[in-house]
Amino acid sequence: MLNKYARAFFTRVLTPFAALLLRWGVSPDAVTLIGTAGSVAGALVFFPRGEFFWGTITITLFIFSDLVDGNMARQAGRSSKWGAFLDSTLDRVADAAIFGGLAMWYAGKGDNDLLCAVALFCLASGQVVSYTKARGESLGFPVDVSGLVERAERLVISLVAAGVAGLHEFGLPYVEWLLPFALWVVAAGSLVTVAQRMLTVRREAFELEGAGAGVEGAEKS
Ligand SMILES: CCCCCCCC/C=C\CCCCCCCC(=O)OC[C@H](COP(=O)(O)OP(=O)(O)OC[C@H]1O[C@@H](n2ccc(N)nc2=O)[C@H](O)[C@@H]1O)OC(=O)CCCCCCC/C=C\CCCCCCCC
Ligand SMILES: O=P([O-])([O-])O[C@@H]1[C@@H](O)[C@H](O)[C@@H](O)[C@H](O)[C@@H]1O
Ligand SMILES: [Mg+2]
Ligand SMILES: [Mg+2]
């Protein structure tokens, strides 16, 4: 949903910044790499210590690189399959660090086995959501579905909740529950999304096979 409705807005806002980086000679790949490194560092330095506010601010500053890298590539006419591969692969790394960092907090000082498991479920299910699309497309199916909770939703729900819950460190009362609530929402939403995508690929596979197209060649990939 965000990918559909918010992307145009962020493209407009970020285009001048992306153009400036290109003028400075920065490459889209460098932005992808630095953005991932910053997001991973923010998640793994701050979240395991329960410093959700500063973790969220750091991650937010770097994670927008994921919108800037593609913008730069398109402006420069340098969109490439390598760039698409690098972008998607490093998205998985950043996501693992974010939910892994939250799981580390609950496994340690946060001392809550159930929420640790929910955070790990968010990590794993988010990766499976992405895999369903990547594998379906590699087999030649359109995978014509986004689903309930795409990456942008997973991140916005989790980061807004973590950032506001983090204000508890500064004395704001009644906000700590937001993070656990968001983790449950992301976990449930990701599960639904996996099911939506699997059912879509199943339908597309039956339609293609019914039409005699088959996927024999693609199965080897
Ligand atoms: C301190 C600052 C606070 C700021 C607060 C701001 C609040 C913001 C609120 C909401 C944010 C909403 C974000 C919406 C995202 C829009 C939807 C979207 O586009 O999602 C997908 C994208 C990027 O996807 P992708 O990487 O696939 O697209 P690209 O455009 O990059 O194109 C890919 C193609 O480009 C080519 N290519 C790429 C790279 C490369 N090296 N070479 C290439 O050739 C190639 O062809 C590729 O195929 O974005 C995301 O998924 C990121 C989502 C960002 C989510 C932001 C989360 C932050 C939200 C809230 C933080 C709140 C902090 C609250 C603090 C509380 C304090 C009280
Ligand atoms: O499938 P999903 O994880 O919700 O969202 C995906 C991103 O995580 C991936 O990195 C990107 O390349 C895809 O175009 C898609 O946006
Ligand atoms: Mg990107
Ligand atoms: Mg990306």
Side-chain angles (χ1 to χ4, degrees):
M1 209 169 67
L2 281 173
N3 205 8
K4 194 166 163 192
Y5 296 108
R7 184 182 273 277
F9 169 78
F10 281 99
T11 299
R12 260 200 317 279
V13 171
L14 294 172
T15 291
F17 179 60
L20 182 69
L21 291 178
L22 284 169
R23 274 203 298 281
W24 285 347
V26 180
S27 72
D29 286 3
V31 170
T32 308
L33 286 164
I34 292 167
T36 305
S39 302
V40 168
L44 294 183
V45 168
F46 294 106
F47 283 176
R49 299 198 298 214
E51 293 175 6
F52 299 123
F53 179 80
W54 292 116
T56 302
I57 295 296
T58 309
I59 295 166
T60 301
L61 288 175
F62 281 98
I63 211 138
F64 276 98
S65 66
D66 193 25
L67 289 153
V68 174
D69 55 5
N71 188 318
M72 288 170 71
R74 286 184 288 278
Q75 278 195 57
R78 276 163 49 191
S79 294
S80 65
K81 286 189 175 173
W82 159 251
F85 172 84
L86 182 73
D87 183 314
S88 297
T89 302
L90 295 191
D91 285 352
R92 307 286 76 77
V93 174
D95 293 357
I98 291 168
F99 290 106
L102 294 173
M104 284 164 76
W105 161 250
Y106 288 117
K109 284 214 178 107
D111 193 21
N112 189 321
D113 289 349
L114 179 61
L115 287 175
C116 175
V118 178
L120 288 174
F121 186 88
C122 289
L123 192 169
S125 56
Q127 308 282 19
V128 176
V129 165
S130 301
Y131 182 79
T132 52
K133 191 153 202 149
R135 183 61 174 151
E137 287 174 351
S138 82
L139 288 167
F141 299 121
V143 197
D144 192 16
V145 60
S146 297
L148 185 65
V149 175
E150 286 186 283
R151 180 169 188 255
E153 283 85 6
R154 296 196 293 276
L155 290 177
V156 170
I157 294 169
S158 308
L159 292 176
V160 169
V164 177
L167 293 175
H168 186 63
E169 299 160 50
F170 305 104
L172 190 69
Y174 312 122
V175 286
E176 328 79 275
W177 60 271
L178 270 174
L179 181 57
F181 178 72
L183 288 174
W184 280 106
V185 169
V186 170
S190 300
L191 190 61
V192 170
T193 310
V194 168
Q196 287 176 305
R197 291 190 179 186
M198 287 183 71
L199 288 171
T200 299
V201 172
R202 183 173 183 272
R203 178 178 49 75
E204 290 174 351
F206 288 161
E207 278 170 11
L208 275 175
E209 283 170 347
V215 289
E216 294 85 4
E219 272 165 3
K220 296 196 188 91
S221 51

